[in-house]
């Protein structure tokens, strides 16, 4: 996915967030439900997160420079961590709103328009969340993927809150409304923790998945004709880029040009099978062989 499209999607998240926020606050104003208020409060975090995502997508796309020779891909992980922190702060605010609901003893009042507005907001979020997760995964954008997952969590909590509010109106159980708000807070807190944990893994140079490493080993084996073996394979993920490096053992009498041709073949094959791969190969003579790496076919 090109940069303009990623930026357009990130900007659209902000616009959609503002629309959804308006619908949810209108639903709260019409019903007076603390649970619906907590649902609306989470949407303010969605908007802030979308703004952070837009900035991260733009910054991560900047080309490598003298200060950042490996590019700026990790900027998206910082945005994802920021989103996670915002989610945790939202959870704290929701807990506070829940406590106010418990102590005030207020009860929401029936409003078909309010319920319809909240339902409409949930549907909009659900459709947009699926879109974000699909394109975030396709373009290997941690920021867009995190934004989509957060929105999907919002959809789930919105559905639970809406169901609970209807039950409160049907049964008259006043305490159920702030109790639902507290449950929303716990769900949001769990979502924020999971997002921070995953994003920190990216900042800590987490290795590529086992499936991706298997693909890399296969390409080395099939396209390394002329070499003897490859060992010390390492990888790390940085946004949409997968950094790969390994040692390639060749016969001692092989010319530099011939060894270089083998490296070129392997690099092209890996890049075609693993989009975003950046490969570094260290060539070694045969007495450096460890006889425990990747055997070249």
């Amino acid at each position: 996915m090109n940069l303009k499209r990623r930026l357009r999607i990130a900007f659209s998240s902000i616009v959609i967030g503002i629309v959804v926020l308006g619908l949810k606050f209108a639903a709260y104003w019409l019903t007076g439900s603390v649970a619906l208020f907590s649902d609306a409060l989470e949407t303010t975090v969605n908007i802030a997160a979308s703004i952070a995502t837009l900035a991260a997508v733009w910054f991560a796309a900047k080309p490598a420079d003298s200060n950042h020779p490996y590019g700026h891909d990790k900027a998206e992980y910082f945005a994802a961590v920021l989103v996670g922190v915002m989610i945790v702060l939202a959870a704290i605010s929701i807990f506070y709103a829940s406590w106010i609901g418990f102590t005030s003893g207020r009860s929401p009042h029936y409003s078909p328009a309010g319920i319809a507005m909240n339902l409409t907001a949930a549907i909009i979020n659900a459709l947009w969340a699926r879109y974000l997760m699909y394109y975030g995964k396709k373009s290997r954008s941690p920021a867009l993927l995190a934004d989509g997952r957060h929105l999907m969590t919002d959809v789930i909590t919105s559905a639970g809150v809406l169901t609970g509010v209807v039950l409160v109106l049907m049964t008259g159980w006043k305490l159920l409304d702030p109790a639902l708000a507290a449950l929303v807070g716990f769900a949001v807190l769990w979502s924020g923790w999971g997002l921070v944990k995953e994003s920190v893994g990216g900042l800590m140079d987490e290795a590529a998945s086992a499936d991706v490493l298997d693909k890399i080993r296969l390409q080395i084996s099939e396209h390394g004709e002329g070499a003897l073996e490859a060992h010390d394979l390492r990888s790390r993920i940085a946004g949409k880029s997968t950094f790969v490096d390994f040692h390639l053992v060749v016969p001692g009498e092989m010319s530099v040009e011939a060894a270089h041709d083998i490296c070129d073949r392997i690099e092209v094959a890996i890049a075609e099978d693993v989009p975003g791969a950046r490969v570094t190969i260290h060539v070694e003579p045969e007495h450096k062989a460890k006889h425990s790496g990747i055997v070249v076919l």
Side-chain angles (χ1 to χ4, degrees):
M1 186 190 296
N2 59 45
L3 175 60
K4 287 185 178 180
R5 189 170 187 181
R6 291 201 304 272
L7 290 173
R8 188 165 58 248
I9 289 174
F11 180 76
S12 297
S13 286
I14 299 173
V15 176
I16 290 173
I18 293 172
V19 172
V20 169
L21 178 64
L23 289 170
K24 288 188 175 183
F25 266 115
Y28 159 66
W29 183 75
L30 290 170
T31 62
S33 168
V34 177
L36 290 184
F37 174 73
S38 69
D39 196 25
L41 193 62
E42 186 186 0
T43 302
T44 62
V45 179
N46 293 349
I47 296 173
S50 295
I51 293 173
T53 298
L54 177 63
V57 168
W58 173 79
F59 191 77
K62 293 178 65 176
D65 53 38
S66 58
N67 290 327
H68 305 90
Y70 291 97
H72 302 79
D73 296 298
K74 283 192 175 183
E76 294 202 37
Y77 287 115
F78 284 105
V81 170
L82 179 61
V83 172
V85 172
M86 288 180 176
I87 293 173
V88 173
L89 292 176
I92 294 173
S93 299
I94 290 170
F95 288 140
Y96 176 74
S98 174
W99 173 251
I100 296 297
F102 276 118
T103 56
S104 68
R106 291 186 305 173
S107 178
H109 48 269
Y110 179 65
S111 171
I115 293 174
M117 285 181 177
N118 193 268
L119 178 61
T120 301
I123 293 172
I124 292 173
N125 267 347
L127 294 174
W128 187 244
R130 289 184 64 85
Y131 184 84
L132 282 175
M133 287 190 292
Y134 170 75
Y135 279 108
K137 185 176 181 180
K138 181 179 179 181
S139 62
R140 298 182 65 185
S141 170
L144 290 179
L145 190 57
D147 205 17
R149 287 177 176 173
H150 177 211
L151 277 182
M152 189 55 73
T153 300
D154 188 25
V155 171
I156 295 171
T157 54
S158 293
V161 165
L162 194 57
T163 302
V165 169
V166 172
L167 288 175
V168 171
L169 295 172
M170 291 175 61
T171 63
W173 296 343
K174 295 181 180 181
L175 292 180
L176 184 58
D177 187 43
L180 283 169
L183 287 175
V184 170
F186 282 114
V188 170
L189 189 63
W190 181 258
S191 170
W193 165 248
L195 185 54
V196 169
K197 183 179 179 181
E198 182 177 333
S199 301
V200 168
L203 290 173
M204 294 296 291
D205 288 338
E206 194 169 40
S209 67
D211 289 343
V212 171
L213 289 175
D214 286 341
K215 288 181 179 180
I216 293 171
R217 292 189 183 96
L218 180 62
Q219 296 305 328
I220 295 172
S221 177
E222 291 186 348
H223 293 86
E225 183 180 357
L228 303 176
E229 72 167 37
H231 56 250
D232 293 349
L233 173 64
R234 300 186 303 174
S235 68
R236 65 182 178 90
I237 300 294
K240 61 181 179 296
S241 298
T242 301
F243 290 90
V244 180
D245 67 81
F246 58 90
H247 295 193
L248 184 70
V249 179
V250 301
E253 67 277 6
M254 179 175 284
S255 67
V256 173
E257 184 176 2
H260 184 267
D261 289 341
I262 296 173
C263 292
D264 281 347
R265 286 203 310 269
I266 294 174
E267 288 173 8
V268 170
I270 293 176
E272 289 178 350
D273 205 20
V274 182
R278 301 189 186 184
V279 184
T280 301
I281 305 174
H282 177 71
V283 177
E284 296 181 332
E286 57 189 303
H287 71 269
K288 292 284 189 177
K290 294 185 176 181
H291 307 292
S292 60
I294 303 166
V295 178
V296 178
L297 300 179

